[in-house]
Amino acid sequence: MSDLWKLGDDIADTAAPDGPVETRWERRQFSAKLVNPANRRKLTVIVVGTGLAGGSAAATLAEAGYRVRSYCYQDSPRRAHSIAAQGGINAAKNYRNDGDSVYRLFYDTVKGGDFRARESNVYRLAQVSVNIIDQCVAQGVPFAREYGGLLDNRSFGGTQVSRTFYARGQTGQQLLLGAYQAMERQIAAGAIEMHARHEMLELIVVDGRARGIVVRDLVTGEITCDFADAVVLASGGYGNVFFLSTNAKGCNVTASWRAHRKGALFANPCYTQIHPTCIPESGTHQSKLTLMSESLRNDGRVWVPQRADDKRAPGDIPEDERDYYLERIYPSFGNLVPRDIASRAAKNVCDEGRGVGPGGLGVYLDFADAIARLGRPAVAAKYGNLFEMYQRITGEDPYEVPMRIYPAVHYTMGGLWVDYDLQSTVPGLFVIGEANFSDHGANRLGASALMQGLADGYFVLPNTISNYLASGPFEPLSADHEAVVAARTAVEDRLSRLLAVDGDRTVDSFHRELGHIMWEYCGMERTEEGLTKAIGLIRGLRDEFWSRVKVPGTGEQLNQNLEKAGRVADFFELAELMCIDALHRRESAGGHFRAESQADDGEALRHDDEFGYVAAWEHGETPTLHKENLEFEYVHPSTRSYK
């Protein structure tokens, strides 16, 4: 308890069945209300976002017979950030006959999330994973195959089996094209009404239900309202609050934050994932960072010089003067430890002065052994496009010299709170994919983001949303309804306020400064002193933003500065809540590492007796904390060790 937040009533997921976890999803599907196919034509669903979650959900709902209206701010649905995913998608198929199973994927995910996720949701994710691969193969997704034609697998961090299906280094692109063509089929059939270049700026809530959205046409500036019987948010994560991240520059929190301000609880905002294999920052001119797929750690070996301040070229450092620190510290998992652990280990060796490259902020990812063992053609067949991308960005040939990598913000495990049906605390508002908090706890395992997005969109949401829609259609709305007018007016007033400041600082300058504060105090390592300082800095910078920001142009035209200003304004509010959440959680868990809470060997130290819950925050001048206590019947919390 603090003057920064107050404690509210506990919450619970009342949608999840009890009983054996193996049959909960089957029993929930049976108990959920259904909508007659003839009645589905009378029901409208708005889907915000067209990535893997949003695209698959829109296509599946439309094919089921619902009227779907889909929105994205990109110029095409296939430009969603899911297209940037590289390494692969997990599924418990056990094609390698190496001991994998639905239960093992469930176990690995709960453990990988540092025992901060719901067992019910995670088990369902593992169950549904096997269907995703069949669905995508049927769509024609060109997964990698072995010589005999069978689908190939590789390993990712936090597991000791090979369960990751992949399409070279372009898995997200190929999966998104599958969802996109399914969407386009429904668009052509008239079942989906597509609105590209539109940004959601407000949620319309009528009589406690989500009934529509307010959007801005990004080309003309026109503000319009759209109504539906249910709203689905599939708008992705909020990693760009750090300014520098692997996310596309357009990725933002606005859709989720507008819903949060209208009553949707925001869960675990401090759980952010720092990816260990990214190309290091090269200078202050940079506006984003580039991911190097975790799949590279299958064959690449991570090392630094044993001696601090060793400036020799990597080829001049003998083998016995190198520290393959992940293999040394974590012999059971080696270079394939989970992301949070690999990232902190990289930070630690750099803090010791053993980092490489400019500023000492980098470690080597070396493929010399793999090239010697497999041959260059085999390595090129696996990772060729990733090597080419690295060479184009850095000017260095990873076939000849080791890659230089360093951790960077990549994914957010936090998001809007949802129950087992993926419904938020606002009835009729469903949240899927990275926009919700539900499956990954405090740390997501590699190749599980694509799995969750497609599980939610293709298989879970279409089966749970019917339980809510069975009570519809709801009362028709008109533009002059009191709640609609209030939502639209709030959007117009906010845009006018941003334009009226007419200050002397660019939006990007504020965003960059906010990102620096967040990375410094709410990044890989957090302290009570640092988080308290960050909250004060964020509040001061936010006040300065509203008095000094310069947004040229008008609202009645294409105005990317205005778009960015609205998004950064929401990032300021989110950043403060992230720091409050991190401050209140006086333990280390997954991607949230408090320096005050670590074991003797420097590993994260949880406090299950105090913090074994989901922190769901209610919006207000002083945020209110609602706790959802986590119960573990199958995977009992233990010290998370990968040694």
Side-chain angles (χ1 to χ4, degrees):
M1 203 62 169
S2 158
D3 58 349
L4 294 172
W5 73 87
K6 55 188 178 183
L7 191 61
D9 296 333
D10 286 358
I11 57 169
D13 174 16
T14 57
D18 53 13
V21 72
E22 295 86 355
T23 61
R24 286 178 191 171
W25 177 226
E26 181 182 1
R27 285 183 284 118
R28 179 58 187 144
Q29 287 175 280
F30 181 76
S31 65
K33 298 174 185 175
L34 300 177
V35 179
N36 182 294
N39 289 335
R40 294 174 196 164
R41 294 190 294 270
K42 305 171 186 176
L43 295 162
T44 302
V45 180
I46 289 173
V47 181
V48 180
T50 57
L52 288 180
S56 59
T60 308
L61 291 171
E63 192 164 6
Y66 297 105
R67 295 180 306 197
V68 177
R69 289 202 280 276
S70 182
Y71 287 85
C72 69
Y73 62 78
Q74 296 91 346
D75 55 1
S76 165
R78 68 171 181 264
R79 296 293 295 276
H81 184 58
S82 298
I83 206 164
Q86 297 172 358
I89 177 171
N90 288 330
K93 286 285 199 181
N94 195 30
Y95 282 173
R96 287 291 184 92
N97 197 28
D98 56 1
D100 200 11
S101 64
V102 167
Y103 194 90
R104 187 175 294 280
L105 176 52
F106 161 61
Y107 173 86
D108 286 343
T109 305
V110 173
K111 177 185 174 184
D114 220 352
F115 305 96
R116 291 294 177 263
R118 283 191 203 130
E119 285 189 331
S120 293
N121 290 62
V122 176
Y123 195 90
R124 176 176 65 187
L125 178 65
Q127 282 179 300
V128 168
S129 71
V130 298
N131 300 331
I132 297 170
I133 304 305
D134 298 338
Q135 165 87 2
C136 294
V137 168
Q139 289 176 333
V141 172
F143 286 121
R145 293 178 181 268
E146 296 176 333
Y147 180 77
L150 300 176
L151 294 178
D152 196 13
N153 292 116
R154 56 189 178 196
S155 298
F156 260 60
T159 70
Q160 292 181 308
V161 297
S162 295
R163 65 163 67 102
T164 305
F165 296 77
Y166 64 99
R168 219 175 175 197
Q170 307 165 357
T171 314
Q173 181 185 55
Q174 300 305 324
L175 292 173
L176 185 61
L177 290 175
Y180 169 72
Q181 67 190 22
M183 266 189 79
E184 285 296 320
R185 178 169 172 261
Q186 298 304 320
I187 292 170
I192 295 178
E193 189 179 296
M194 185 67 227
H195 299 272
R197 303 298 295 273
H198 283 73
E199 182 171 23
M200 172 185 161
L201 296 180
E202 191 58 275
L203 179 71
I204 297 172
V205 179
V206 179
D207 297 330
R209 298 180 186 269
R211 292 298 313 277
I213 58 176
V214 181
V215 296
R216 179 174 180 267
D217 185 320
L218 299 183
V219 178
T220 67
E222 182 184 9
I223 307 294
T224 55
C225 301
D226 194 8
F227 313 124
D229 296 292
V231 176
V232 178
L233 292 189
S235 48
Y238 49 89
N240 273 350
V241 69
F242 290 89
F243 186 72
L244 285 177
S245 81
T246 65
N247 290 183
K249 287 302 294 178
C251 294
N252 64 83
V253 76
T254 290
S256 292
W257 196 254
R258 297 290 106 194
H260 174 54
R261 291 178 64 97
K262 282 294 183 76
L265 300 187
F266 207 113
N268 300 335
C270 78
Y271 287 163
T272 53
Q273 179 159 90
I274 314 293
H275 198 294
T277 51
C278 302
I279 298 177
E281 183 180 353
S282 60
T284 56
H285 63 282
Q286 250 177 294
S287 61
K288 78 175 300 294
L289 298 172
T290 304
L291 173 72
M292 286 284 102
S293 170
E294 182 168 313
S295 62
L296 293 168
R297 288 195 276 142
N298 274 273
D299 291 304
R301 300 180 70 194
V302 180
W303 65 275
V304 292
Q306 287 187 354
R307 201 179 42 173
D309 299 317
D310 191 334
K311 305 300 182 187
R312 289 177 291 177
D316 296 334
I317 300 176
E319 192 73 15
D320 61 357
E321 295 181 31
R322 301 178 178 187
D323 181 13
Y324 294 91
Y325 59 89
L326 291 178
E327 298 173 24
R328 172 175 56 82
I329 302 171
Y330 307 102
S332 293
F333 284 74
N335 294 296
L336 285 174
V337 292
R339 292 174 176 178
D340 58 323
I341 290 174
S343 292
R344 281 199 299 276
K347 179 183 184 299
N348 290 340
V349 295
C350 290
D351 288 348
E352 293 168 3
R354 297 194 287 147
V356 301
L361 294 178
V363 299
Y364 289 127
L365 183 61
D366 197 335
F367 292 87
D369 285 0
I371 292 170
R373 184 178 74 253
L374 303 171
R376 178 167 172 161
V379 172
K382 283 184 175 182
Y383 311 116
N385 66 307
L386 297 171
F387 278 39
E388 180 184 354
M389 182 165 60
Y390 180 87
Q391 184 170 13
R392 287 185 177 184
I393 291 171
T394 66
E396 300 172 0
D397 184 355
Y399 292 107
E400 303 295 332
V401 296
M403 289 183 176
R404 286 181 296 106
I405 57 169
Y406 193 69
V409 174
H410 176 60
Y411 185 89
T412 52
M413 285 74 67
L416 294 180
W417 186 92
V418 292
D419 62 13
Y420 192 67
D421 287 353
L422 304 182
Q423 185 170 214
S424 73
T425 47
V426 177
L429 177 67
F430 293 79
V431 190
I432 59 177
E434 191 179 354
N436 75 29
F437 89 102
S438 66
D439 293 349
H440 306 297
N443 174 67
R444 176 176 67 76
L445 292 183
S448 288
L450 308 188
M451 174 175 64
Q452 186 212 344
L454 292 181
D456 286 356
Y458 281 134
F459 299 107
V460 180
L461 179 77
N463 281 291
T464 60
I465 198 171
S466 63
N467 188 65
Y468 176 80
L469 291 174
S471 302
F474 301 107
E475 173 193 354
L477 291 180
S478 63
D480 58 1
H481 189 284
E482 180 183 6
V484 176
V485 172
R488 179 180 179 132
T489 302
V491 168
E492 293 170 341
D493 289 350
R494 192 160 179 267
L495 294 175
S496 297
R497 185 183 172 198
L498 287 166
L499 290 163
V501 175
D502 197 25
D504 58 358
R505 280 192 64 177
T506 65
V507 175
D508 276 352
S509 74
F510 281 106
H511 193 183
R512 188 183 293 273
E513 188 173 345
L514 173 65
H516 179 75
I517 294 169
M518 292 300 291
W519 180 251
E520 187 71 21
Y521 301 111
C522 197
M524 275 194 282
E525 184 173 297
R526 299 145 182 198
T527 65
E528 181 175 351
E529 180 184 2
L531 291 164
T532 303
K533 181 179 180 180
I535 292 168
L537 291 172
I538 291 165
R539 289 176 172 178
L541 189 61
R542 183 176 65 216
D543 291 343
E544 186 180 346
F545 172 86
W546 284 105
S547 63
R548 289 187 60 189
V549 71
K550 175 73 173 180
V551 182
T554 71
E556 290 75 42
Q557 63 182 112
L558 174 67
N559 189 338
Q560 291 184 317
N561 282 292
L562 182 59
E563 296 169 31
K564 288 192 290 186
R567 295 166 187 169
V568 172
D570 288 333
F571 277 142
F572 274 117
E573 297 182 13
L574 167 70
E576 182 176 335
L577 184 63
M578 288 173 66
C579 291
I580 290 172
D581 186 39
L583 183 62
H584 111 276
R585 191 173 282 277
R586 299 182 312 277
E587 67 161 355
S588 295
H592 168 64
F593 188 79
R594 283 288 294 266
E596 304 94 334
S597 182
Q598 52 185 306
D600 293 338
D601 59 359
E603 297 292 342
L605 181 63
R606 296 193 323 270
H607 300 295
D608 296 334
D609 55 334
E610 293 183 75
F611 298 102
Y613 58 79
V614 175
W617 296 91
E618 179 184 345
H619 184 265
E621 191 169 330
T622 302
T624 301
L625 170 63
H626 300 273
K627 299 178 181 180
E628 179 200 341
N629 292 307
L630 294 169
E631 298 179 4
F632 295 92
E633 300 176 59
Y634 296 88
V635 185
H636 298 291
S638 59
T639 300
R640 182 169 166 252
S641 174
Y642 292 91
K643 294 184 176 182

